[in-house]
Amino acid sequence: MSDLLKGNFKTKNEVVAPEVAEETLEDRFERTALKRLGGSIAFVSKKKVMWEFKPKS
Amino acid sequence: MAKVLLINPTVREEDVPRHVPYGMALLAAIAIKAGHLVQVYDENAWRKGDAVTRQVLEADDWDLIGLGGITTAYGAIKKIVGMAREICPRAVITLGGGVLTSMPQDMMDFLPEVDVGVIGEAFVTFPEMLDMIDAGNRDWKKCNGTISRNAEGKLVLSPMRALIPELDVLPYPAWDLFPLEEVYFKNSESLYSEEGMMAQRRLDINGSLGCSLVCKFCFHLGIAGDMRYEEAKDGGVDVAFDRKGSYTRTIRYHSPEYIVKMVKHAYDTYKIDFIAFIDENLMTMDQYSGRTWLKEICRLWHEYGLAPKKNPDGTWTGVYWGGTSHASLCTQEILKIMREAGCSQLVYGYESFDQSVMKALGKGATPANNIRSFFWTLEAGIRPIPNQIIGFPNETFDSLRADMDAWQKLGIVVKPHFATPYPGSEWYTMYRQHILQQYKGDLERFILDLGDASKSSAIICHNFNAIELVGLRDMMMSFNWRRIDEYEKIWRINHRIPDGKPSTLYPGFAPHMTLDLPEPKLSLATAG
């Protein structure tokens, strides 16, 4: 029986969980900071940065 | 035997998954008991992404793929049924639960991939559908409690499904088909009491269905006798819920023996240490039973050895528990009995400490009763969880001040919900036009915007718009009386209300609620 799919019979195809990459330090930092957001706790969410962004001149 | 895949869609992504979907677990148990082949994919628990959901859909030749949930699961449901239709073109896709029941015609229009919707209670409808699948019959209009499409693609409602009269005929939920050890027990903590916080192996149970109260914000899922089929303006049939002057209720509860034996089963099988009753309101059931139900549950809790005993290290044997109470219906006697049996926390929908707001709400409670129950519960040794809402239709500066005054005197620390017109509630029926106006006439946008009411969505307050309510909530939480007084002066100027007159437009409307839009046209056929 698959761990992800639980039931009373065996399915034709097994469901395989993808390898989960361990949380990076960057992800851990941003997740932890988000919980305490406010005041001087502010941060750059690096994956959301629009690198091509140019302010209007 | 039908090959069934049940998928629990992702909901409340901002939090970890905490609750086994009780209705789905019951339906899985019913289907297995009837001899069908059942698999459950708890997408909400696993949160493994679309690639895994696709694998699940490809795992077998499903006869039926069933989804359900509350309205806020709509976004996930929409995504899953799209994938299901593409990967499993032969399977019957069905949707049930509050998301479908609250607005069956709209949902079937939004989700053309869904073949058949289950309206209201599915305990009989669902196994009947599986029997029809086994018989090769897809004529859903012959199955009561469904909505489907005819050959021309027109929506067809079958006759309304009657509620089952006796809840004790239900099997225990199929908890073992959900990832208890992998996910749910790890998220047992509930921050409602010390014992709730320390819980390591919590399960939810439901001891009753229904509620005798008529709170305007509440939706009873069509399983509390709250649903009616009425003749629509176009001559078809419409599904209707509470509205002023038209309330209907059917109250049902499990016997105390059933409940406590089920908890004992869970204690012996899964080694649980905490039970959260997810009943709409334990106290309304107790009152309906003639004040016997909770007493007997507590007596049996002791008799079955479930009353908790604390160890020196803070752990315990037995099972602590919590649920929902009501300010006017609780008694000192029952609260004391409940505490002795291990009740550690009770949610009270105090909602407001303003008399005029409470009177308009239909809750059968007053600010005075709120305060009385607050002290009774504390004195019994149970933590009252004092839920609050702001943004009621008739909310004013004075009613907000009444809330703040009570919070200060009672030591209440709270971030109030915003009054939200969830589909199926009386507010939704009353304010549908105003809701559509706030979403440019796009109902689906409103549904996708709905969350758990801690953020603003459609506003139904006649006096304050969303931005005002967010700001006022912030000022209230920091007890900034001065800022609120100052803003009231500005608000009076903006709305041309002189000093000395009440600071309200009610029953009139502020600009954010005044644009009138025509009702969308829906056509619906009636099953012959």
Side-chain angles (χ1 to χ4, degrees), chain B residues 196-227:
Chain B
M197 182 180 73
M198 297 295 288
Q200 301 290 308
R201 301 177 73 81
R202 174 182 50 80
L203 274 184
D204 304 339
I205 65 164
N206 196 32
S208 61
L209 291 173
C211 177
S212 56
L213 304 170
V214 292
C215 306
K216 291 180 171 54
F217 55 77
C218 203
F219 170 43
H220 305 276
L221 307 169
I223 55 177
D226 54 317
M227 184 171 69

Short mmCIF file of all heavy atoms in Angstrom, two decimals, chain B residues 196-227:
data_model
loop_
_atom_site.label_atom_id
_atom_site.label_comp_id
_atom_site.label_asym_id
_atom_site.label_seq_id
_atom_site.Cartn_x
_atom_site.Cartn_y
_atom_site.Cartn_z
N GLY B 196 -4.65 21.75 25.44
CA GLY B 196 -4.73 21.73 23.98
C GLY B 196 -3.38 21.96 23.34
O GLY B 196 -3.01 21.32 22.35
N MET B 197 -2.63 22.87 23.94
CA MET B 197 -1.29 23.18 23.42
C MET B 197 -0.35 21.97 23.56
O MET B 197 0.51 21.73 22.71
CB MET B 197 -0.71 24.37 24.18
CG MET B 197 0.65 24.83 23.70
SD MET B 197 1.28 26.23 24.65
CE MET B 197 1.70 25.44 26.21
N MET B 198 -0.50 21.23 24.65
CA MET B 198 0.40 20.11 24.93
C MET B 198 -0.03 18.80 24.25
O MET B 198 0.69 17.81 24.32
CB MET B 198 0.47 19.86 26.44
CG MET B 198 1.04 21.02 27.24
SD MET B 198 2.75 21.35 26.84
CE MET B 198 3.54 19.95 27.62
N ALA B 199 -1.21 18.81 23.62
CA ALA B 199 -1.71 17.57 23.01
C ALA B 199 -0.72 17.03 21.99
O ALA B 199 -0.16 17.78 21.20
CB ALA B 199 -3.07 17.82 22.36
N GLN B 200 -0.52 15.73 22.01
CA GLN B 200 0.40 15.07 21.08
C GLN B 200 -0.33 14.23 20.04
O GLN B 200 0.21 13.94 18.98
CB GLN B 200 1.35 14.14 21.85
CG GLN B 200 2.20 14.84 22.91
CD GLN B 200 3.26 15.72 22.28
OE1 GLN B 200 4.01 15.26 21.42
NE2 GLN B 200 3.32 16.98 22.69
N ARG B 201 -1.54 13.80 20.38
CA ARG B 201 -2.28 12.90 19.49
C ARG B 201 -3.77 13.27 19.55
O ARG B 201 -4.57 12.60 20.19
CB ARG B 201 -2.04 11.44 19.88
CG ARG B 201 -0.56 11.05 19.84
CD ARG B 201 -0.33 9.62 20.31
NE ARG B 201 -0.78 8.64 19.34
CZ ARG B 201 -0.07 8.26 18.27
NH1 ARG B 201 1.11 8.81 18.02
NH2 ARG B 201 -0.54 7.34 17.46
N ARG B 202 -4.09 14.36 18.86
CA ARG B 202 -5.48 14.85 18.86
C ARG B 202 -6.25 14.30 17.67
O ARG B 202 -5.73 14.22 16.57
CB ARG B 202 -5.48 16.37 18.80
CG ARG B 202 -6.89 16.98 18.64
CD ARG B 202 -6.88 18.49 18.54
NE ARG B 202 -5.93 18.99 17.58
CZ ARG B 202 -6.14 19.03 16.25
NH1 ARG B 202 -7.29 18.59 15.76
NH2 ARG B 202 -5.22 19.50 15.44
N LEU B 203 -7.50 13.96 17.92
CA LEU B 203 -8.45 13.67 16.85
C LEU B 203 -9.70 14.53 17.05
O LEU B 203 -9.99 14.93 18.17
CB LEU B 203 -8.86 12.20 16.84
CG LEU B 203 -7.99 11.19 16.09
CD1 LEU B 203 -8.65 9.80 16.15
CD2 LEU B 203 -7.77 11.59 14.64
N ASP B 204 -10.43 14.78 15.97
CA ASP B 204 -11.70 15.48 16.06
C ASP B 204 -12.83 14.47 15.99
O ASP B 204 -12.71 13.45 15.29
CB ASP B 204 -11.88 16.44 14.88
CG ASP B 204 -10.75 17.45 14.75
OD1 ASP B 204 -10.05 17.67 15.76
OD2 ASP B 204 -10.57 18.00 13.66
N ILE B 205 -13.91 14.74 16.70
CA ILE B 205 -15.13 13.93 16.50
C ILE B 205 -16.33 14.86 16.43
O ILE B 205 -16.28 16.00 16.89
CB ILE B 205 -15.35 12.86 17.60
CG1 ILE B 205 -15.61 13.52 18.96
CG2 ILE B 205 -14.21 11.88 17.66
CD1 ILE B 205 -16.21 12.55 19.96
N ASN B 206 -17.41 14.33 15.89
CA ASN B 206 -18.63 15.11 15.76
C ASN B 206 -19.74 14.35 16.48
O ASN B 206 -20.09 13.24 16.07
CB ASN B 206 -18.97 15.30 14.28
CG ASN B 206 -19.98 16.39 14.07
OD1 ASN B 206 -20.00 17.37 14.83
ND2 ASN B 206 -20.82 16.24 13.08
N GLY B 207 -20.27 14.94 17.53
CA GLY B 207 -21.29 14.25 18.32
C GLY B 207 -22.71 14.57 17.88
O GLY B 207 -23.65 13.91 18.31
N SER B 208 -22.86 15.60 17.03
CA SER B 208 -24.21 16.02 16.69
C SER B 208 -24.22 16.74 15.35
O SER B 208 -23.18 17.17 14.86
CB SER B 208 -24.75 16.97 17.77
OG SER B 208 -23.94 18.13 17.86
N LEU B 209 -25.39 16.87 14.79
CA LEU B 209 -25.56 17.65 13.57
C LEU B 209 -26.71 18.62 13.78
O LEU B 209 -27.81 18.22 14.15
CB LEU B 209 -25.85 16.74 12.38
CG LEU B 209 -24.70 15.85 11.91
CD1 LEU B 209 -25.18 14.88 10.82
CD2 LEU B 209 -23.55 16.67 11.38
N GLY B 210 -26.44 19.88 13.57
CA GLY B 210 -27.50 20.87 13.70
C GLY B 210 -27.23 21.85 14.81
O GLY B 210 -26.29 21.71 15.58
N CYS B 211 -28.07 22.87 14.86
CA CYS B 211 -27.97 23.91 15.87
C CYS B 211 -29.31 24.64 15.84
O CYS B 211 -29.83 24.94 14.77
CB CYS B 211 -26.82 24.86 15.53
SG CYS B 211 -26.68 26.24 16.68
N SER B 212 -29.85 24.89 17.00
CA SER B 212 -31.19 25.50 17.06
C SER B 212 -31.14 27.00 16.83
O SER B 212 -32.19 27.63 16.69
CB SER B 212 -31.82 25.20 18.42
OG SER B 212 -30.97 25.67 19.45
N LEU B 213 -29.95 27.58 16.79
CA LEU B 213 -29.85 29.03 16.71
C LEU B 213 -29.89 29.50 15.25
O LEU B 213 -29.72 28.71 14.33
CB LEU B 213 -28.54 29.49 17.38
CG LEU B 213 -28.41 29.01 18.82
CD1 LEU B 213 -27.03 29.26 19.35
CD2 LEU B 213 -29.45 29.69 19.70
N VAL B 214 -30.13 30.80 15.07
CA VAL B 214 -30.29 31.33 13.71
C VAL B 214 -29.34 32.51 13.47
O VAL B 214 -29.74 33.55 12.94
CB VAL B 214 -31.77 31.73 13.43
CG1 VAL B 214 -32.63 30.50 13.39
CG2 VAL B 214 -32.29 32.71 14.48
N CYS B 215 -28.09 32.34 13.85
CA CYS B 215 -27.09 33.39 13.65
C CYS B 215 -27.00 33.69 12.14
O CYS B 215 -26.89 32.78 11.33
CB CYS B 215 -25.73 32.95 14.16
SG CYS B 215 -25.78 32.38 15.86
N LYS B 216 -26.99 34.96 11.82
CA LYS B 216 -27.08 35.34 10.41
C LYS B 216 -25.81 35.05 9.62
O LYS B 216 -25.82 35.06 8.40
CB LYS B 216 -27.47 36.82 10.30
CG LYS B 216 -28.91 37.07 10.75
CD LYS B 216 -29.28 38.51 10.66
CE LYS B 216 -30.78 38.72 10.90
NZ LYS B 216 -31.26 38.15 12.17
N PHE B 217 -24.70 34.82 10.31
CA PHE B 217 -23.44 34.54 9.60
C PHE B 217 -23.23 33.06 9.34
O PHE B 217 -22.29 32.67 8.67
CB PHE B 217 -22.23 35.07 10.38
CG PHE B 217 -22.14 34.58 11.79
CD1 PHE B 217 -21.69 33.31 12.09
CD2 PHE B 217 -22.50 35.41 12.84
CE1 PHE B 217 -21.61 32.87 13.39
CE2 PHE B 217 -22.41 34.97 14.15
CZ PHE B 217 -21.97 33.69 14.43
N CYS B 218 -24.10 32.22 9.89
CA CYS B 218 -23.81 30.79 9.92
C CYS B 218 -24.43 30.05 8.73
O CYS B 218 -25.50 30.41 8.25
CB CYS B 218 -24.35 30.19 11.22
SG CYS B 218 -23.51 28.68 11.67
N PHE B 219 -23.74 29.02 8.28
CA PHE B 219 -24.27 28.11 7.26
C PHE B 219 -24.20 26.71 7.85
O PHE B 219 -23.17 26.30 8.37
CB PHE B 219 -23.44 28.21 5.98
CG PHE B 219 -23.76 27.15 4.95
CD1 PHE B 219 -25.07 26.81 4.68
CD2 PHE B 219 -22.75 26.52 4.24
CE1 PHE B 219 -25.38 25.84 3.73
CE2 PHE B 219 -23.05 25.55 3.29
CZ PHE B 219 -24.35 25.21 3.04
N HIS B 220 -25.31 26.00 7.78
CA HIS B 220 -25.39 24.69 8.44
C HIS B 220 -25.25 23.53 7.45
O HIS B 220 -25.65 22.41 7.76
CB HIS B 220 -26.70 24.59 9.21
CG HIS B 220 -26.89 25.70 10.20
ND1 HIS B 220 -26.37 25.68 11.47
CD2 HIS B 220 -27.51 26.89 10.07
CE1 HIS B 220 -26.68 26.80 12.09
NE2 HIS B 220 -27.37 27.56 11.27
N LEU B 221 -24.72 23.80 6.26
CA LEU B 221 -24.34 22.77 5.30
C LEU B 221 -25.52 21.98 4.73
O LEU B 221 -25.33 20.96 4.08
CB LEU B 221 -23.33 21.78 5.92
CG LEU B 221 -22.09 22.39 6.55
CD1 LEU B 221 -21.32 21.33 7.34
CD2 LEU B 221 -21.18 23.00 5.50
N GLY B 222 -26.72 22.43 4.99
CA GLY B 222 -27.88 21.69 4.49
C GLY B 222 -28.11 20.38 5.22
O GLY B 222 -28.90 19.54 4.77
N ILE B 223 -27.45 20.20 6.37
CA ILE B 223 -27.61 18.94 7.10
C ILE B 223 -28.22 19.19 8.48
O ILE B 223 -28.19 18.33 9.35
CB ILE B 223 -26.27 18.18 7.24
CG1 ILE B 223 -25.19 19.07 7.87
CG2 ILE B 223 -25.81 17.67 5.89
CD1 ILE B 223 -23.87 18.36 8.09
N ALA B 224 -28.75 20.40 8.67
CA ALA B 224 -29.35 20.74 9.97
C ALA B 224 -30.84 21.03 9.83
O ALA B 224 -31.43 21.66 10.69
CB ALA B 224 -28.63 21.95 10.56
N GLY B 225 -31.42 20.55 8.73
CA GLY B 225 -32.83 20.87 8.47
C GLY B 225 -32.99 22.30 7.98
O GLY B 225 -34.10 22.81 7.89
N ASP B 226 -31.87 22.93 7.65
CA ASP B 226 -31.87 24.35 7.28
C ASP B 226 -32.13 24.58 5.80
O ASP B 226 -32.23 25.71 5.35
CB ASP B 226 -30.50 24.96 7.64
CG ASP B 226 -29.35 24.19 7.01
OD1 ASP B 226 -29.37 22.95 7.05
OD2 ASP B 226 -28.42 24.83 6.49
N MET B 227 -32.25 23.48 5.05
CA MET B 227 -32.32 23.60 3.58
C MET B 227 -33.73 23.28 3.08
O MET B 227 -34.40 22.39 3.63
CB MET B 227 -31.30 22.63 2.96
CG MET B 227 -31.20 22.71 1.46
SD MET B 227 -29.81 21.72 0.87
CE MET B 227 -30.39 20.05 1.21
#
